[in-house]
Amino acid sequence: MMPARPKAGRQLGWSEELLRTSPLAAHYQPVMAPLSREACDALAHGAVPPELLPTPEQVAHGGALSPLMVTHGYALEPGGGLRVALRTPMPDVTPAMVDWWFGWHSSSPERYKLWHPRAHVHAEWLRQPPPGTEGRARYVGHTSIVDEYVGGELGRFAVQFMAPEALGFDAARLGEDVATAVCARAGLTHLPIDAGYLVHEVLAVPGGSEMRSYFWLGGRYAAARGGGALGALAISVARRVLRPTERDARAMLTHCAEEMAHLATFLPTLYREQGDVRVGSGQAQARP
């Protein structure tokens, strides 16, 4: 992979002043839980055959998944792409909370750092979503520009959120009380190249939710952003540089397993705390 160099002056962690003054400081917990047993087992096992991990089409259509498929693992495709899959139990979390989070966290770097204090550096919207919106309506169609560590490598990425229906999900399956699917095109910021797709499917279960996360990167999932001569040049570059390695797959699985498990520890309380200021308040949108 070939991430861009992040802008100077951005760093991990909150400042001492924010820790003293921010109303969100109670949710900033830099000590994170160890990696789950399932994620550790997947890393210890190593790569699996690609057929054991679903394609975007199989995820979107649900019931087509084979009982042979693994829920935690990664695979390298012959054409240069990778697949990653994992599940995260999220006690006391609802699908609606996850939609709210994805519309909320990119409004300031401090919010983004709550999610993974040891890897997230900066986040901002490419264009601010309209005021008075929340949940899926706030993030779908918008792009979050993020600086983060994936493994030991720091990069800048464009996360272009898209409607689940664009990947083939049936809208009737995604009622906020029973399920949601956070879908995005993940790309580079310094080149007009989209590296692949991600999906975080969240299903309500007794006592909370279960998140099923999937990544498809490089190879046939990469494409030029836009058309014309520049697009043709970009895709030729993409075919050379977007050949993710096993190291990339392991880093992606680890990063996602850490951040989603950590999110589950504070999201219910944060969501309830923000309940009276979520929609229609300029002050709420400006909060760090």
Side-chain angles (χ1 to χ4, degrees):
M1 301 291 280
M2 193 178 78
R5 294 184 62 187
K7 295 180 180 179
R10 295 176 178 174
Q11 61 186 20
L12 287 169
W14 276 26
S15 68
E16 290 296 327
E17 180 181 1
L18 272 174
L19 287 171
R20 290 195 307 271
T21 62
S22 172
L24 301 177
H27 304 290
Y28 180 72
Q29 302 294 338
V31 178
M32 301 173 67
L35 204 60
S36 71
R37 179 183 60 79
E38 292 81 4
C40 289
D41 287 347
L43 294 169
H45 184 280
V48 301
E51 292 81 1
L52 295 186
L53 295 178
T55 65
E57 295 78 14
Q58 288 172 318
V59 168
H61 292 97
L65 300 186
S66 161
L68 289 176
M69 288 182 177
V70 299
T71 57
H72 289 75
Y74 64 89
L76 302 176
E77 296 186 350
L82 67 78
R83 304 180 193 182
V84 175
L86 65 149
R87 291 192 183 191
T88 305
M90 305 189 99
D92 301 322
V93 172
T94 67
M97 289 180 189
V98 174
D99 271 330
W100 172 80
W101 170 258
F102 276 90
W104 184 84
H105 76 260
S106 284
S107 293
S108 78
E110 289 72 33
R111 295 180 180 186
Y112 189 57
K113 293 177 184 184
L114 295 176
W115 193 2
H116 197 318
R118 298 185 175 185
H120 289 179
V121 174
H122 187 85
E124 60 186 331
W125 292 113
L126 184 63
R127 291 187 302 276
Q128 280 289 333
T133 57
E134 70 169 354
R136 198 181 304 159
R138 182 167 174 79
Y139 68 82
V140 166
H142 294 276
T143 299
S144 178
I145 306 298
V146 301
D147 293 10
E148 65 180 355
Y149 284 95
V150 181
E153 193 167 18
L154 179 60
R156 301 193 78 216
F157 306 99
V159 182
Q160 305 157 76
F161 293 107
M162 56 199 297
E165 294 85 348
L167 280 182
F169 280 90
D170 180 356
R173 289 175 50 204
L174 303 178
E176 67 175 14
D177 294 330
V178 295
T180 192
V182 179
C183 304
R185 198 78 164 104
L188 306 181
T189 57
H190 61 303
L191 289 172
I193 295 172
D194 292 326
Y197 296 92
L198 65 86
V199 169
H200 302 296
E201 187 178 23
V202 185
L203 305 175
V205 297
S209 292
E210 176 184 88
M211 177 179 283
R212 303 173 183 179
S213 298
Y214 305 94
F215 300 86
W216 303 274
L217 298 172
R220 64 191 178 98
Y221 309 112
R225 192 181 308 139
L230 182 59
L233 175 62
I235 196 59
S236 69
V237 172
R239 298 305 182 202
R240 294 198 303 272
V241 303
L242 289 181
R243 296 189 65 85
T245 65
E246 182 166 0
R247 177 183 176 186
D248 294 321
R250 294 172 66 86
M252 182 63 69
L253 189 152
T254 300
H255 181 99
C256 186
E258 291 173 338
E259 70 179 0
M260 292 309 185
H262 192 65
L263 176 62
T265 66
F266 66 84
L267 180 56
T269 302
L270 175 66
Y271 181 83
R272 288 191 293 270
E273 178 185 288
Q274 294 288 304
D276 59 343
V277 293
R278 286 202 303 268
V279 177
S281 167
Q283 180 180 3
Q285 300 303 330
R287 276 185 169 185

